[in-house]
Amino acid sequence: MKMNFEKLSLRIQQTSDYLRTNAVKAVNMHITLRNWLTGFYIVEFEQHGSDRAEYGVKLLENLAKRISVKGLTAPELSRCRQFYQRYPQIHALLEKDLKSFLPDVFFEDFIIENHSLSILGSATQEFYGSFQEGGQSHLYGLFQSVSYSHFTELIKIGDSSKRRFYELLILETQPTVKELKRQIDSLTYERIGLSQNHQHSFAEVLRSIAPQDIQDMVKSHYFFEFLNLAQPKLIEENELESALIEHLQQFMLELGNGFCYEARQKRLLIGGEYYFVDLVFYHRILKCHVLVELKTENAKHEHIGQLKAYLSFYSKNIRAGSDNPPVGILLVTSQNKTLVEYAIGDSDLEIFVSQYQLQLPDKAELRAFIEKELRKEK
């Protein structure tokens, strides 16, 4: 094999990176499996242990003291139990994909009889059944891809369809735990439920997790249910703006990754008159200002014209030399897509018109979409 110094150093670096990555994956998979098995053993003991009555509600505290395993405190043992109860279908992985992880002697205790699943309720049994029919591969993909910390976020979700949606999101994007929490907290699942085109909206979410360009940064639909407005149809623009600022953290989560708050009612002196931009942000990833105008009505051409003027002023007078051109987002209650197309069609400015919603959608129609996408992962 012919080799020079550059090839030598490159080959060692590649080998090291590959094996280190696989070592981390292996550790993550073993920890995840350990915690699931721990949950399984606890549930089995609570249901069928010969001396279970002696421990009662103190079981986990006594168990944590007895085993003295670092990290397996009583609260963590409780989380392991919940992990098993949320994912009983991992049993199928142990019979097939994960069997090499354990010596055969462990499988003498690991036989899930019908009584073990009966304690989980009809909804979980139904979910377990659908998993057995064709969802096994996607769960093994989760085992290979993420840490147990990701599962601790997933097991908090009681709705099985919603949980499967975030499983799909993990498989598609490999998010950090922090990013996964951000997607859950910003109600990504519910927001997609508002869309008439779930496939398109889901693609938008995937791009927004790591935006590469301006189009990735802006969503077609924004969801402000966290405002808890009693009469959303009667709200005025200044009230909506104030409510969003009062809930700035949730609002920032909804806007997406990379937004930094800069100003409210930013004053611009244009031709001797003062004008005010509702909200101004700076996007740290795409290096540009983002001007947001809020309207509690349908999109109108004068709204777009106003935003055009603000963007032109910002680009000429405020934009720093290293910044990209500013972006404008007009948030309205409803889009007139034809009007919007004509109003921004001849502009060289980055203007987007997005719809916002103040209430949660009906989630039922999402289930078929999620199942369809998960089947693609097989």
Side-chain angles (χ1 to χ4, degrees), residues 218-234:
V218 183
K219 302 172 184 176
S220 62
H221 229 109
Y222 290 87
F223 190 60
F224 301 152
E225 186 272 343
F226 56 83
L227 298 180
N228 295 316
L229 298 173
Q231 295 179 302
K233 294 184 178 180
L234 301 180

Side-chain angles (χ1 to χ4, degrees), residues 265-280:
Q265 289 297 306
K266 176 71 173 181
R267 186 171 64 175
L268 308 179
L269 181 60
I270 305 176
E273 293 186 49
Y274 284 112
Y275 296 86
F276 298 87
V277 185
D278 289 341
L279 298 165
V280 178

Side-chain angles (χ1 to χ4, degrees), residues 240-251:
L240 177 59
E241 180 185 316
S242 296
L244 290 173
I245 294 300
E246 289 174 7
H247 297 79
L248 186 59
Q249 183 177 4
Q250 293 97 321
F251 183 34

Side-chain angles (χ1 to χ4, degrees), residues 11-27:
R11 184 57 53 84
I12 292 174
Q13 185 67 56
Q14 290 174 334
T15 302
S16 175
D17 291 345
Y18 175 80
L19 293 176
R20 183 172 62 247
T21 299
N22 279 275
V24 171
K25 286 183 179 180
V27 170

Side-chain angles (χ1 to χ4, degrees), residues 137-138 168 171-172 372-378:
S137 61
H138 97 266
L168 171 62
L171 290 170
E172 292 280 357
K372 178 183 175 183
E373 291 299 309
L374 284 173
R375 284 194 292 272
K376 292 179 181 178
E377 295 293 326
K378 291 169 58 179

Side-chain angles (χ1 to χ4, degrees), residues 5 12 15 96 110-111 182 199 236 277 306 363:
F5 182 80
I12 292 174
T15 302
K96 183 182 176 184
F110 191 75
I111 302 174
R182 193 182 72 79
Q199 191 75 46
E236 300 290 337
V277 185
Q306 179 187 39
K363 305 173 188 176

